[in-house]
Each structure stands twice: as C-alpha cells, then as structure tokens.
Amino acid sequence: MMSTGASLAMRCMARVSAKTTTTSSIATRSLSSIATACNTSNNNNNNNALSRRGGLLESSSSLSSSMVLLSLSSRSSPSILYSNIRTHSTAAATSPKSKIQLGEPITFLTLSNLADNPGAIKRKRRVGRGIGSSKGKTCGRGHKGQKSRAGKGVHPTFEGGQTKFYKRLPKMGRMKNSKFKLELIPLNVGKVQDYVTMGRLVPERSDGVLTMRDFVKAGMFPASSIKSGVKLLADGKEFLKDKLLIEVPWASSSAIQAIEAKGGYVTTVHYNRLALRAHLKPHKFPMKPEGMKAGAVDEEAAATEHDKHLLPKRARPPPKYMQYYTDYEKRGYLNPRVQLERKQRGLKDIL
C-alpha cells in the first residue's frame, strides 16, 4: 500500500511541474509577441494614424492576455513578470501618445481678482469702543488737560510761554533777502546767433531790436518762466557773425563787448512786474481808441502789438538798481551817452 501511495504522489508532482513549465513557456512566448507588436506599432506610427491606432489596440489586447497568463505563472517565475512590466511601461512613456507636462496655469488680471498685496493696507485702530479694545474711554489721551481736548493742541515749537527757539536766533542770509532775489533766465549770445541763423528769431519792431517778446515767440523759453527778466551771457561768442541789436534787463560785460565787436548794440532796460506783463502779453490790456490810432504819425510803428493797446507807463528802477541802469559800462538805458548812441543808430526811445 505504501508503495502505491508513493507512486501516486510522484505522478501528481510530475504533472504539476509539467503544467508549470508549460505555463512559463507560454508566458515567455506571449511577452516576446508583445515586444514585437510594440516595435511594429512604433515603426508604423509615422506612416498613418489608422495603423497606429490598430497597433495600439493590438498591443493592449496582447497585454491583457499576457497579464492573464502571467498571473497564472507569477508563483513560479515572478522575475519575468516584473521585468516585462518595466519594459512595457518604458515603451509606453516614449510613445508619441504620452501626455505633455504643462506648467503653472496663467492667471489674468481682471476686476474680479484685482486686490492689494497681503499686508499692504493696515486698518486704523478704532478708539472709544470699550476697555477690551485697549483704546476705550479716554482713547489713549489720558485724563483732562489741553492735550486731551479736540483740536490741534499745543504747537510743536511751544516752550511753555518763553520765547521760542527760532525767535531767539538772529536773522541772516536768505531770511532777510530772499524776497529781493532776482530769478533771471540765462541767455547766451551763441544761442541767439543760432536762432537768427535758422530764421526762427525775427525782430517784431521796425528798428530791428530783439526783445524778450521776440525770444518767447521764437520758442527759446516760455513766457511763464520769466519771473524777473533775462540776463545775456557771452557763451558761444566765437560763433557771432551778425549785427545784433538787443534789449534785455541784464547783460554781462563780455557779452556786451562781443556783440559790439560785430557792430551790434546792447541796452539794459528795467522791467518791474507790471512792465514785464505789458511787454510780454500786451493783448491782456485794453485796445486804444480809434482817435489815438488815427493820430499816429508813423503807421508802420503803429502796426506792432504794443502800439495797438493802452499800456501803463514804464516805472523807474528802484534806488537799489538805479546805479546799474545809469552806468555806461552796463549800457543802462538811463545813461545820457547810451541815449545819444541810440539816437544816432535810429533806435526808438525807451519810454
């Protein structure tokens, strides 16, 4: 009996090993067919989309059948299963049908998501809202007194009634003389020559004298920038070539010499605020009556803008500047010699 049982057991063991061997061989064959199908499908992908789709379907069906077979033989040969799964996953990742990795989504700025950065706005503390808010009742001002009342309280420079610190200091420099400061626009003779050469600077008066109004009309500087007048400087004097006749409030000695060396002439004329406004903007003043226009001797002289309006009489310079405008070296218009030379050149009198 023992020999019969042992022989039966041996037969069963032989059948199980035969079946296992058969299953592993079938799995190996199926995996080789999967690899062949994948290679064939990858080669046909570039030809047409229909063959690519069919190859993928075939590879997926063969993969499902092979997975069924591999599940049967996983106990006998697990290394074959894992290695083939890795091979198939790598081939699938390199296929053209794999998903493209996208970056972060783009957010467009609209009125619905427009807001300040976090922490950009700090809310104001509300006072007088109970003791739990730490600023209730007296609101952090303490009890009574001038500083706890409504209003501006005590001035920062207040020292309890004694003379303030800034009043104990002596007046000096700009504190005394700032209101007398002259804001002059620098004007170089080289720039004047350039504008004359370009044809942009043309005298308005019949005697050919260039004034501040002509400089404004030529675009050299705006009329609103003239606060106290213009000062003529000698920069660019080596480029002078024309005979220039100029009337300005201030002029340097070198600029006067450079212009007169070419046959020109410079006259310094005083303008207060009213005279400056009348000179630059005569249209702001009322027109002359018809009788005054008809009585003009020279019609050409009456053609200028200044002769068409009632302008105020020019004020004499203050004592501070009287010495400047009576000096011949500065070519002041109140100097008798300057007045005589202007008469000889045929220039209009400065009223």
Side-chain angles (χ1 to χ4, degrees):
M1 295 294 291
M2 294 295 295
S3 59
T4 305
S7 60
L8 288 175
M10 292 295 290
R11 291 175 186 175
C12 291
M13 292 286 289
R15 290 177 182 178
V16 170
S17 61
K19 290 180 179 181
T20 302
T21 304
T22 305
T23 304
S24 61
S25 61
I26 293 172
T28 304
R29 293 172 185 175
S30 62
L31 289 174
S32 62
S33 62
I34 290 171
T36 304
C38 289
N39 294 332
T40 305
S41 62
N42 288 334
N43 294 331
N44 295 333
N45 279 337
N46 297 327
N47 296 331
N48 51 44
L50 184 62
S51 62
R52 187 190 310 122
R53 188 177 303 174
L56 290 173
L57 293 174
E58 182 181 355
S59 61
S60 60
S61 61
S62 61
L63 177 61
S64 60
S65 60
S66 62
M67 290 299 291
V68 174
L69 296 176
L70 288 173
S71 62
L72 299 176
S73 61
S74 59
R75 296 181 180 179
S76 60
S77 56
S79 61
I80 297 175
L81 174 64
Y82 297 145
S83 63
N84 284 278
I85 289 175
R86 285 196 300 268
T87 304
H88 183 72
S89 63
T90 305
T94 56
S95 63
K97 282 293 183 177
S98 61
K99 294 183 178 180
I100 301 174
Q101 296 295 332
L102 301 177
E104 296 181 359
I106 300 174
T107 303
F108 294 96
L109 184 64
T110 60
L111 293 177
S112 60
N113 58 12
L114 183 64
D116 293 305
N117 295 328
I121 298 178
K122 183 178 180 180
R123 291 198 174 190
K124 185 180 179 180
R125 180 184 288 273
R126 302 179 67 195
V127 296
R129 295 299 183 271
I131 59 176
S133 64
S134 75
K135 292 295 180 184
K137 193 189 172 195
T138 56
C139 306
R141 294 192 177 196
H143 289 277
K144 302 181 182 178
Q146 184 180 3
K147 295 183 180 179
S148 66
R149 312 299 181 186
K152 296 186 178 180
V154 183
H155 195 270
T157 60
F158 183 68
E159 299 183 20
Q162 68 180 9
T163 306
K164 300 178 182 181
F165 176 72
Y166 73 89
K167 286 192 174 183
R168 298 196 298 266
L169 297 175
K171 292 182 179 180
M172 57 196 311
R174 188 174 180 182
M175 298 174 66
K176 293 192 302 181
N177 302 321
S178 60
K179 60 182 178 180
F180 304 110
K181 180 182 178 181
L182 295 177
E183 299 180 10
L184 302 175
I185 297 179
L187 179 63
N188 295 304
V189 294
K191 185 176 181 181
V192 176
Q193 179 62 59
D194 291 340
Y195 274 74
V196 171
T197 305
M198 290 186 293
R200 296 178 58 179
L201 185 57
V202 180
E204 183 182 14
R205 286 166 41 172
S206 58
D207 54 359
V209 176
L210 296 172
T211 61
M212 290 186 291
R213 179 175 169 85
D214 298 325
F215 299 149
V216 171
K217 292 175 64 176
M220 303 177 75
F221 40 77
S224 59
S225 64
I226 304 176
K227 305 299 181 183
S228 303
V230 176
K231 184 171 183 179
L232 189 66
L233 302 176
D235 190 13
K237 60 183 180 181
E238 60 274 9
F239 302 107
L240 278 177
K241 59 182 180 179
D242 292 337
K243 179 182 176 181
L244 302 178
L245 304 174
I246 301 177
E247 285 184 8
V248 288
W250 303 84
S252 64
S253 300
S254 55
I256 295 174
Q257 294 175 5
I259 291 178
E260 291 184 352
K262 297 295 182 179
Y265 199 78
V266 178
T267 308
T268 56
V269 185
H270 172 69
Y271 291 90
N272 59 357
R273 294 185 62 182
L274 182 60
L276 197 62
R277 177 178 173 84
H279 176 66
L280 295 176
K281 300 178 180 179
H283 60 277
K284 297 286 186 179
F285 294 84
M287 297 286 292
K288 286 182 178 181
E290 293 295 333
M292 296 182 66
K293 291 182 181 179
V297 178
D298 191 1
E299 296 181 358
E300 185 180 358
T304 61
E305 194 72 21
H306 294 86
D307 297 324
K308 297 178 182 179
H309 297 267
L310 286 172
L311 303 179
K313 189 177 180 180
R314 184 187 299 274
R316 295 179 70 86
K320 184 177 180 179
Y321 303 125
M322 184 62 74
Q323 184 179 359
Y324 183 88
Y325 291 106
T326 56
D327 188 4
Y328 177 77
E329 298 296 331
K330 305 298 182 183
R331 299 300 187 270
Y333 73 108
L334 296 178
N335 185 272
R337 185 177 173 183
V338 172
Q339 295 176 359
L340 181 60
E341 290 179 356
R342 289 178 59 87
K343 212 59 164 169
Q344 294 173 353
R345 289 176 176 267
L347 303 180
K348 293 177 61 176
D349 294 333
I350 300 175
L351 302 177

